[in-house]
Amino acid sequence: MALLLDRVPFDGLDGAGDESFDAWLTAEREDARAARVEVLRLLATHPDISAVPAQKWQRLWHEADPERAELHLRASRAATADGTVRKVEGRGRPAADLSASLAATRQASSGRQIARPRISARSRGLRAQRIGFCKARDGTNIAYASVGSGPPLLKAANWLNHLEFDWASPIWGQSFAAIARYRSFIRYDERGCGLSDWEVEDLSFEAFVEDLEAVADKLELERFPLLGISQGCAVSIEYAVRHPERVSGLVLLGGYAAGWRHSASPEEQARRVAVRTLTELGWGTDNPAYRHIFSQTFMPEATAADLEWFDDFQRQTTSPKNAARFQDAFGLIDIRHRLAEVKAPTLVLHSKYDQRIPLELGRAVASGIPDARFVPLESRNHILVDREPAWRVCLGTVAQFLAEKGI
């Protein structure tokens, strides 16, 4: 609840109505802020939370409501003045715990470096991003978001996205925050998932390209680099061929030019069909086994906590029917004939031991695009996680590439 309340309620709706609407919006946000402060207070003084997480909640409470937290601290000091450790506010938290935690908060504010939870940077990114909507050619509503400032970098959608949930991700959040430090970073939820329309007739590769076109046109981007991940690589390549005057560069990670219907062996195709059936039948259930099939192949070296998060994230991001339809659409992708037509400078990165998309498919993309640079990464993960060395190599290589090309 504390993390949910840390978001900006109805983000992107500022100025969307008249004065009465603005007044209502302000009141809702004030109520949410007050609720968050109260939740933090309850967590900070809860008797059943152990010392380490308690210090986190105490620090966050102090940041959100310093006056009340200081009063609480002074009361706890008075309670322990005679040398005893007493409970505070009837919640059972030893006053010494709160005192130490708030002392650490004051040290941090005075310049000493205190480690902060990773979620804070991502929460700031969620609060800062600007969400809007545009319509694709067939009328489908596509949600997009931008965060940061500087030259634009547009990321094509991939499996699966959610403009809000991505920021809390142990997979995407840190990467997005790193990009947004130097760029105006633009993302969108493709049709069928996230904040975009789920009930759509057309869930095809052509529609995915039109979603990207709609976002670029809506934001009036004149010239920009494109970031493609997984099937987003093929979407980015097709867009670059259609609009060479607008794409200044391509950064492609873990991609392929031909989907599994064209490139996989008969045995692998049979496995994919079986997984598709399991997806349609079991995706929406409480049993994570169906979604775990994907999690394990996407990130075999991720922690159990990261895999659990990704399992639940997938269920919240799209419907069982669409999850199956996405697999069909990805399998039919084939842009091998378009590779030689790419004019933009291109960087292709691919994990050497990718369990989802084999290295040779990434190498084929690089060899087919004129003068493309290919960088294999020491990882088994299809989606890089920020704790592995390959993640840092990837970010550094991309930054160097963009700087060298002046884009």
Side-chain angles (χ1 to χ4, degrees):
M1 182 61 71
L3 297 178
L4 288 172
L5 289 170
D6 196 34
R7 302 174 182 175
V8 177
F10 308 108
D11 191 24
L13 292 182
D14 299 83
D18 55 18
E19 291 183 1
S20 61
F21 176 83
D22 289 340
W24 171 82
L25 185 62
T26 299
E28 289 293 313
R29 289 175 175 175
E30 289 175 351
D31 287 346
R33 179 188 175 280
R36 177 175 180 269
V37 170
E38 180 62 13
V39 168
L40 291 176
R41 184 191 70 79
L42 293 172
L43 287 167
T45 59
H46 199 284
D48 298 327
I49 295 181
S50 58
V52 173
Q55 289 179 4
K56 177 184 75 170
W57 296 121
Q58 289 158 4
R59 182 175 61 249
L60 291 173
W61 178 36
H62 187 272
E63 291 175 355
D65 190 5
E67 183 176 353
R68 191 176 180 191
E70 286 290 351
L71 287 173
H72 184 83
L73 175 60
R74 286 197 291 271
S76 68
R77 284 174 174 168
T80 56
D82 61 354
T84 61
V85 178
R86 300 197 318 201
K87 308 296 185 179
V88 292
E89 287 200 6
R91 292 288 174 179
R93 172 65 54 204
D97 287 357
L98 182 64
S99 177
S101 177
L102 295 186
T105 300
R106 286 194 296 276
Q107 286 180 357
S109 62
S110 66
R112 296 188 180 95
Q113 297 209 354
I114 303 294
R116 298 178 64 85
R118 289 172 61 193
I119 193 66
S120 62
R122 294 167 185 171
S123 295
R124 286 195 295 272
L126 179 60
R127 290 197 298 269
Q129 76 173 353
R130 302 167 293 278
I131 297 177
F133 293 86
C134 60
K135 288 189 179 296
R137 189 174 302 175
D138 63 356
T140 300
N141 288 302
I142 304 298
Y144 64 88
S146 59
V147 65
S149 59
L153 173 63
L154 176 55
K155 174 188 168 293
N158 56 274
W159 173 283
L160 292 158
N161 301 127
H162 193 296
L163 295 178
E164 292 185 309
F165 299 158
D166 282 350
W167 279 106
S169 165
I171 304 158
W172 301 118
Q174 195 74 5
S175 300
F176 292 170
I179 295 172
R181 291 192 190 103
Y182 311 103
R183 292 271 176 171
S184 177
F185 185 44
I186 303 160
R187 303 148 38 237
Y188 64 93
D189 292 337
E190 66 191 348
R191 61 184 58 218
C193 73
L195 297 180
S196 295
D197 285 349
W198 285 23
E199 298 297 326
V200 291
E201 291 186 13
D202 190 2
L203 205 61
S204 64
F205 177 72
E206 178 63 28
F208 298 152
V209 177
E210 290 178 1
D211 293 346
L212 174 54
E213 289 175 331
V215 174
D217 291 346
K218 174 68 175 182
L219 296 176
E220 300 180 344
L221 301 177
E222 295 182 359
R223 191 160 174 80
F224 54 92
L226 265 174
L227 169 63
I229 301 174
S230 196
Q231 92 275 2
C233 294
V235 174
S236 299
I237 291 168
E238 180 64 26
Y239 181 91
V241 171
R242 295 184 188 185
H243 307 280
E245 75 288 351
R246 301 181 73 174
V247 178
S248 59
L250 285 175
V251 176
L252 309 175
L253 174 61
Y256 53 91
W260 58 271
R261 287 288 189 185
H262 303 284
S263 59
S265 65
E267 294 79 10
E268 177 62 20
Q269 290 198 35
R271 283 192 290 268
R272 296 265 185 165
V273 171
V275 169
R276 183 213 180 278
T277 302
L278 288 174
T279 299
E280 195 164 21
L281 295 175
W283 186 271
T285 68
D286 290 332
N287 187 343
Y290 302 97
R291 299 177 299 279
H292 205 62
I293 295 171
F294 292 95
S295 304
Q296 280 292 106
T297 55
F298 272 95
M299 301 171 295
E301 293 184 342
T303 65
D306 288 352
L307 290 174
E308 182 180 359
W309 184 92
F310 194 54
D311 287 341
D312 192 55
F313 168 78
Q314 291 179 100
R315 181 172 64 165
Q316 297 180 71
T317 302
T318 195
S319 65
K321 178 181 177 182
N322 283 350
R325 294 176 68 196
F326 274 126
Q327 293 175 57
D328 289 337
F330 300 161
L332 294 172
I333 289 174
D334 189 0
I335 53 139
R336 288 173 290 187
H337 61 292
R338 301 293 256 172
L339 298 178
E341 301 178 52
V342 174
K343 306 299 182 185
T346 302
L347 172 65
V348 180
L349 306 107
H350 208 105
S351 295
K352 285 185 179 180
Y353 315 107
D354 192 325
Q355 304 291 293
R356 188 73 187 170
I357 307 297
L359 177 66
E360 55 265 25
L361 296 185
R363 187 186 293 116
V365 171
S367 64
I369 296 176
D371 301 318
R373 180 184 175 190
F374 182 63
V375 178
L377 301 169
E378 289 290 338
S379 176
R380 297 176 63 222
N381 292 326
H382 180 56
I383 299 176
L384 300 178
V385 292
D386 57 26
R387 286 179 297 277
E388 59 180 322
W391 180 82
R392 292 187 292 273
V393 172
C394 180
L395 284 184
T397 303
V398 171
Q400 182 181 15
F401 171 77
L402 295 175
E404 287 178 352
K405 301 301 180 180
I407 53 180

